[in-house]
């Protein structure tokens, strides 16, 4: 059996980072809506350690195993002045539970080194894009039949069940040449 790997890339060098300090905190030095820090909040071991941490924890959903997925999911969270992660939000919706997994993975992360400004620890807000590249060259009908999902296919404006679609399309099809119904992702 061929092992499937998900390539997770966190685009740390293009992410937006904004401080969100408490109202009783120190004055902020702002330039073009970006708060300047003496040091930014950091995952233990740095950016590469964070990528490895996330990569080890994330799992491919059943739908992604069947159809593959290539795209970005964006997460937002705050590292507070004590180094704990809070206010985790998903800013995208892939429909393949990656965002829900990332919420849990980020929430369970070890304590970060907090951001520093004017000699004090402060909160820092992150919006991070996660690039997921787990493509499929073809979808096999035998795998669809074994899954826990029920599939129907619209071919030339007519609906077919999975066996009828297989008779028309053959043993497999290219997932990049199909349009997914919204209910597919729910």
């Amino acid at each position: 059996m061929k092992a499937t790997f998900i390539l997770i890339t966190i685009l740390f060098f293009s992410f937006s980072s904004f401080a969100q300090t408490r109202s009783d905190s120190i004055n902020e030095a702002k330039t073009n809506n970006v708060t300047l820090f003496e040091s930014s909040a950091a995952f233990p071991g740095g950016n590469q350690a964070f990528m490895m941490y996330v990569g080890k924890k994330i799992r491919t959903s059943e739908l992604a195993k069947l159809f593959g997925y290539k795209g970005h999911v964006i997460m937002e969270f705050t590292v507070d002045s004590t180094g704990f992660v809070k206010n985790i939000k998903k800013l995208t919706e892939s429909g393949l539970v990656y965002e829900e997994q990332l919420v849990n993975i980020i929430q369970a992360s070890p304590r970060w080194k907090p951001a520093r400004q004017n000699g004090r620890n402060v909160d820092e807000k992150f919006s991070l894009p996660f690039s997921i590249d787990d493509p499929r060259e073809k979808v096999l009908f035998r795998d669809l039949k074994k899954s826990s999902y029920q599939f129907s296919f619209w071919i030339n404006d007519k609906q077919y069940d999975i066996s009828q679609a297989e008779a028309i399309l053959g043993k497999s099809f290219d997932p990049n040449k199909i349009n997914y119904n919204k209910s597919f992702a729910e």
Side-chain angles (χ1 to χ4, degrees):
M1 177 181 272
K2 182 179 169 185
T4 302
F5 296 95
I6 299 175
L7 172 66
I8 300 286
T9 307
I10 303 165
L11 306 170
F12 268 103
F13 301 107
S14 65
F15 72 84
S16 301
S17 172
F18 302 95
Q20 189 170 30
T21 56
R22 292 185 201 107
S23 59
D24 63 344
S25 69
I26 56 180
N27 292 332
E28 298 177 357
K30 289 193 174 188
T31 305
N32 296 331
N33 294 325
V34 176
T35 301
L36 304 176
F37 297 100
E38 294 165 16
S39 64
S40 189
F43 184 82
N47 296 344
Q48 190 161 359
F50 186 59
M51 288 188 292
M52 291 176 63
Y53 167 78
V54 172
K56 287 179 183 177
K57 302 270 184 193
I58 198 141
R59 298 291 173 249
T60 305
S61 70
E62 183 181 4
L63 286 173
K65 285 178 184 175
L66 293 170
F67 294 96
Y69 181 76
K70 183 173 181 154
H72 299 290
V73 296
I74 301 172
M75 302 300 296
E76 180 180 273
F77 60 93
T78 300
V79 176
D80 72 14
S81 62
T82 63
F84 288 103
V85 177
K86 63 181 186 180
N87 302 329
I88 304 167
K89 298 176 187 162
K90 54 186 179 175
L91 301 181
T92 58
E93 188 62 58
S94 67
L96 298 173
V97 301
Y98 287 117
E99 290 87 353
E100 289 80 4
Q101 286 187 58
L102 286 166
V103 166
N104 294 329
I105 291 167
I106 294 168
Q107 182 66 51
S109 73
R111 186 184 268 191
W112 292 49
K113 180 182 172 190
R116 301 228 1 122
Q117 183 182 53
N118 295 335
R120 295 178 61 190
N121 292 349
V122 294
D123 293 0
E124 183 176 4
K125 187 175 184 178
F126 291 91
S127 293
L128 294 180
F130 293 80
S131 177
I132 300 173
D133 189 4
D134 190 21
R136 297 290 177 275
E137 290 183 22
K138 59 183 174 178
V139 176
L140 302 174
F141 275 98
R142 68 177 171 169
D143 294 338
L144 296 180
K145 289 177 181 178
K146 287 189 246 179
S147 78
S148 64
Y149 293 92
Q150 295 180 357
F151 296 100
S152 62
F153 295 80
W154 285 89
I155 303 170
N156 296 328
D157 296 325
K158 186 174 178 191
Q159 186 173 6
Y160 297 93
D161 68 25
I162 196 165
S163 295
Q164 295 167 324
E166 183 178 22
I168 295 167
L169 299 174
K171 301 275 183 215
S172 66
F173 58 91
D174 181 348
N176 297 312
K177 294 185 177 181
I178 60 174
N179 292 320
Y180 299 102
N181 187 339
K182 182 175 177 7
S183 65
F184 170 79
E186 294 175 346

